[in-house]
Amino acid sequence: MATNIEMPKLSDTMTEGTLVKWLVAEGDSINAGDILAEIETDKATMEMESFESGTLGKIYVQAGEKAPLGAVLGILVEDGEEAPATAPSGDGAGDSGAAATSDDDSADDSASSVDDVSDAPAATHTADGQRIKASPLAKKIANKQGIDLAGVKGSGPGGRIVRADVESAQPGSASAAPSTASAPAAHAVASMPAAAGDQRLELSGMRRVIAERLLTSKTTIPHFYLNIELDAAPLMAFRKQINQANESTGGHKYTVNDFIMKAAVSAAVAEPRVNASFAGDAVIQYGDIHLSVAVAIDEGLVTPVIRQAQHKSILQLSEEIKDLATRARSKKLSPDEMQGGTITISNLGAYGIDSFAAIINPPQAMILSIGGIVNKPVVNDSGDIVAGQRMWIGLSGDHRVVDGAVGALYLAAFRKLLENPALMLL
């Protein structure tokens, strides 16, 4: 029996993917476990594995083309079996990705008055990108009666929605709330019409997800902002001393961001209430600190995660973020490496930015905004004006989780560590 090769869900926010390139050709013999193609998601480029064996009978989605979740990219056939000229529907396929088979109401398709039912497609995916399994007739009836299949429980094989399930549902009763994916369109302001010389740049999957998540964050999370200016001279002197010592022995060279990561994590150990998220009727305070670090790439921003950062030294943090950032820029991160963070650092100091206020990375409750180190006149403890090195640090907090006093205590612990960097080695 033929087996559909469907667009898989390779990240938590993925709704479509781009087929970068096929690694096999039509007519090739495929074994379970073989890598079929490279798929670009909203976050990374990943390999797609075959879970079945057979012959690649037909490719329906070519390199460079986009396809939604569940779309049939190609088909595996058995010996003597012919592949359809056009892509079959992937909606009836089981979890294994096999081709659609008849269900308990497909036999009624010809007997039912389907001519009276609109052919406009019903929704095929839930708001979080999960494919809705429903028969073609069930979809037609749902569309006609205004029933959202996302709220209908299927009684067919594997939970598939059949005609009886839709007919027993009340029209409009299963309407789901608008997904966050539609939020940008709902709040969009008409742009200026394009003129000669202007370019229309279509949103990549990554940029679309960034737009959706940041809009959701800014419109649903009550942000508040704190900021401090700290004395960066001790940190710069400490870093210079360590790097000079390591240079003579071929040791590791540390960046300012390495010390910032360690201070951010250690301060969260001292003030654990910031390492939390809002859960509707509760606040979840996490036992481990999973540090997200914003990394700029060509198409936008990704936040790879350093797991259990509270157990890692400055050297370990430095080496891990270097590896994650390198692979992020070549889109070689796995979904697990880009989700599950509990606090985030965004550092724009290297770009010449002195200060800024970052938008919270949901569902986290806090993000740090790191500005550059600036040489400026300061007043010392004796009241004299002297040359100094200062750094601006901002904290954006979710006021449902983090109160102003809690944020202030966290920043005080953060300042103490950076102004006394030797404490981070203890």
Side-chain angles (χ1 to χ4, degrees):
M1 184 176 71
T3 302
N4 292 344
I5 301 170
E6 299 180 1
M7 177 64 75
K9 185 171 184 178
L10 298 173
S11 79
D12 55 332
T13 54
M14 179 182 174
T15 58
E16 66 176 10
T18 300
L19 201 150
V20 177
K21 65 179 179 180
W22 284 97
L23 303 178
V24 292
E26 291 182 1
D28 285 356
S29 179
I30 307 298
N31 294 315
D34 287 351
I35 303 301
L36 301 176
E38 291 183 355
I39 303 293
E40 180 182 348
T41 73
D42 54 308
K43 294 181 176 179
T45 299
M46 305 183 66
E47 295 176 335
M48 180 177 67
E49 180 182 345
S50 176
F51 296 104
E52 304 287 344
S53 299
T55 299
L56 183 57
K58 189 73 174 177
I59 289 175
Y60 301 113
V61 175
Q62 303 302 319
E65 294 181 346
K66 295 182 178 180
L69 291 181
V72 179
L73 310 177
I75 194 166
L76 294 177
V77 296
E78 297 179 350
D79 291 341
E81 192 174 17
E82 184 139 354
T86 58
S89 169
D91 293 330
D95 293 337
S96 65
T101 57
S102 63
D103 66 9
D104 58 358
D105 69 338
S106 61
D108 296 334
D109 284 356
S110 59
S112 302
S113 55
V114 294
D115 292 339
D116 295 332
V117 182
S118 170
D119 286 331
T124 58
H125 292 81
T126 62
D128 62 358
Q130 296 293 328
R131 182 164 57 84
I132 299 172
K133 294 189 288 185
S135 72
L137 182 58
K139 291 179 181 178
K140 288 183 178 182
I141 297 173
N143 184 72
K144 177 69 174 180
Q145 298 184 4
I147 295 173
D148 186 351
L149 290 176
V152 177
K153 184 176 181 180
S155 61
R160 192 180 187 203
I161 299 170
V162 296
R163 181 181 62 178
D165 302 324
V166 178
E167 290 178 342
S168 63
Q170 293 295 320
S173 62
S175 295
S179 70
T180 56
S182 64
H187 293 77
V189 176
S191 62
M192 291 288 291
D198 294 343
Q199 285 184 291
R200 178 180 173 84
L201 305 176
E202 297 296 332
L203 292 180
S204 66
M206 177 180 294
R207 177 53 64 184
R208 186 179 297 113
V209 169
I210 289 173
E212 292 168 1
R213 284 177 60 82
L214 292 185
L215 178 62
T216 299
S217 176
K218 196 63 176 173
T219 56
T220 64
I221 295 176
H223 285 57
F224 76 96
Y225 307 97
L226 303 176
N227 62 81
I228 58 172
E229 187 180 79
L230 57 81
D231 183 4
L235 170 63
M236 298 306 288
F238 187 71
R239 172 178 172 260
K240 181 179 180 180
Q241 182 180 9
I242 290 178
N243 283 346
Q244 284 179 341
N246 285 349
E247 187 176 2
S248 62
T249 60
H252 188 81
K253 185 175 182 179
Y254 292 93
T255 67
V256 171
N257 202 57
D258 296 336
F259 293 95
I260 289 170
M261 288 190 296
K262 182 62 176 178
V265 171
S266 297
V269 172
E271 185 47 69
R273 287 176 289 180
V274 301
N275 190 48
S277 67
F278 187 71
D281 58 351
V283 170
I284 299 175
Q285 187 169 305
Y286 300 105
D288 286 318
I289 301 170
H290 303 308
L291 179 65
S292 300
V293 181
V295 175
I297 63 175
D298 290 341
E299 293 185 21
L301 196 71
V302 294
T303 51
V305 179
I306 300 176
R307 307 283 175 191
Q308 297 183 319
Q310 76 274 18
H311 298 312
K312 296 180 178 177
S313 66
I314 300 175
L315 176 60
Q316 289 172 314
L317 293 173
S318 178
E319 291 177 336
E320 192 161 339
I321 194 57
K322 183 178 180 180
D323 171 63
L324 289 168
T326 299
R327 289 190 291 116
R329 294 186 179 104
S330 59
K331 290 193 170 184
K332 296 300 181 183
L333 292 177
S334 69
D336 287 344
E337 293 174 311
M338 293 182 285
Q339 59 192 28
T342 58
I343 60 175
T344 295
I345 292 174
S346 180
N347 189 342
L348 291 178
Y351 294 88
I353 301 301
D354 294 340
S355 64
F356 67 104
I359 298 175
I360 293 170
N361 182 17
Q364 298 171 24
M366 186 200 76
I367 184 170
L368 283 178
S369 312
I370 311 298
I373 296 174
V374 178
N375 294 321
K376 60 189 297 186
V378 297
V379 179
N380 65 15
D381 293 338
S382 302
D384 300 322
I385 298 176
V386 297
Q389 292 178 296
R390 313 298 285 186
M391 176 187 287
W392 189 95
I393 307 294
L395 181 153
S396 303
D398 181 346
H399 221 321
R400 300 171 301 179
V401 179
V402 180
D403 293 329
V406 172
L409 289 171
Y410 173 84
L411 286 178
F414 183 82
R415 183 208 298 268
K416 181 179 179 180
L417 290 166
L418 284 186
E419 291 186 343
N420 302 274
L423 294 176
M424 289 186 275
L425 302 181
L426 299 178

